[in-house]
Amino acid sequence: MNTRLFSLEGKTAVVVGGTSGIGRALALGLAESGADVIASSRGETGVNDTAKQIEALGRKTLRITADVAQRASLERLRDSAIAAFGKVDVLVNCAGITKKGPTVNFPEDAWQGIVDTNLTGTLRGCQVFGEHMLSRKSGRIINIASLSTYLGLFEVAAYGASKAGVGSLTRTLAVEWSRHGVLVNAILPGVFRTALNSNLLDNTERGREFLLRTPMGRFGEARELVGAAVYLASDAASFVTGSILVVDGGFLASGVNQ
């Protein structure tokens, strides 16, 4: 196998929402595969800590905060990356939030906040960095979908609607931009353990149901998403666009498991 197909040497990647959980794992994974990586989020502490980890891998980075709710901050992130590295080859849109509650009386402001971050925030990232990539006729955008892109999950309607939108946006941008050299895909994680959800997964009926529905019989670890991101960012995926790459331990294939 030609392993150079999967090398990211000489590429610059930006991971928005890249300083915790899945985002940080992807940022570090891209760096391990050779890319210079800018991992950004709203918090300076997370940005600085992740930058140190990237530099420890021998890669270059920048320390810049950004908020997907603020287009100007994404533009500043893009412009700083271009000034430092000359280009941005890969964008990963990983910022996201959720809130559980009955849909019948779910607050409209909470709904709007989730949709604005998960869906419109992804659109902003695609627009801001896509403009640069289209001008170069080269680029890779990787969005983050969800099981709820395809499935209904109990009492997370806003999150589900936003992630269904991310799937549709990914396909639409692929149709519009691929002929201009910008390939747009998404990764769909199954149930992955993070610091924020470990109690839910281990100590609730919801967590036990998630486990039952996963044929591999365990939850994913964030590092297990790195291969998908490296693949989509690399020359190995040169004819892949508009795809949603599922990494879920068999969850979407699941019917009866006992």
Side-chain angles (χ1 to χ4, degrees):
M1 183 180 70
N2 182 2
T3 56
R4 287 178 297 178
L5 277 175
F6 297 91
S7 173
L8 301 182
E9 293 282 347
K11 296 188 182 297
T12 301
V14 173
V15 183
V16 179
T19 65
S20 63
I22 287 172
R24 181 170 60 188
L26 296 184
L28 296 176
L30 295 174
E32 288 172 345
S33 293
D36 294 322
V37 181
I38 302 165
S40 188
S41 66
R42 293 180 296 177
E44 289 186 6
T45 299
V47 167
N48 289 330
D49 289 347
T50 308
K52 290 177 183 176
Q53 292 179 281
I54 292 168
E55 289 168 341
L57 295 169
R59 306 302 170 194
K60 297 177 182 178
T61 188
L62 296 176
R63 290 161 169 80
I64 305 174
T65 60
D67 183 351
V68 296
Q70 303 294 329
R71 181 179 297 269
S73 76
L74 294 173
E75 292 172 338
R76 184 174 65 251
L77 175 62
R78 176 201 61 196
D79 294 345
S80 297
I82 295 170
F85 299 105
K87 59 186 173 60
V88 175
D89 301 287
V90 180
L91 169 69
V92 182
N93 284 307
C94 205
I97 58 174
T98 189
K99 181 178 181 179
K100 182 175 179 290
T103 306
V104 67
N105 58 4
F106 196 79
E108 189 170 325
D109 59 344
W111 171 285
Q112 190 59 50
I114 291 167
V115 172
D116 188 60
T117 297
N118 298 355
L119 177 55
T120 311
T122 296
L123 172 66
R124 291 187 189 104
C126 289
Q127 288 178 325
V128 168
F129 286 86
E131 182 179 29
H132 164 68
M133 292 176 176
L134 289 166
S135 72
R136 297 182 62 239
K137 298 188 182 303
S138 176
R140 304 294 176 84
I141 295 176
I142 303 170
N143 296 325
I144 303 299
S146 162
L147 292 171
S148 59
T149 300
Y150 294 128
L151 299 176
L153 303 181
F154 185 70
E155 290 190 344
V156 286
Y159 181 79
S162 70
K163 288 298 186 177
V166 168
S168 179
L169 177 64
T170 298
R171 291 185 288 267
T172 299
L173 292 182
V175 170
E176 292 187 24
W177 293 357
S178 295
R179 69 188 65 193
H180 304 294
V182 180
L183 309 186
V184 186
N185 294 287
I187 296 171
L188 190 160
V191 185
F192 280 74
R193 186 184 302 282
T194 69
L196 294 178
N197 69 9
S198 58
N199 182 65
L200 180 148
L201 296 184
D202 295 335
N203 299 308
T204 70
E205 287 300 317
R206 192 180 183 92
R208 283 184 277 277
E209 183 177 355
F210 276 132
L211 187 61
L212 180 64
R213 290 284 301 277
T214 304
M216 287 187 68
R218 64 175 178 85
F219 301 123
E221 300 294 335
R223 59 182 172 76
E224 294 180 292
L225 291 165
V226 169
V230 170
Y231 166 64
L232 291 175
S234 74
D235 291 342
S238 60
F239 200 58
V240 178
T241 193
S243 292
I244 299 178
L245 179 52
V246 177
V247 186
D248 71 345
F251 194 105
L252 287 180
S254 177
V256 176
N257 285 295
Q258 61 180 3

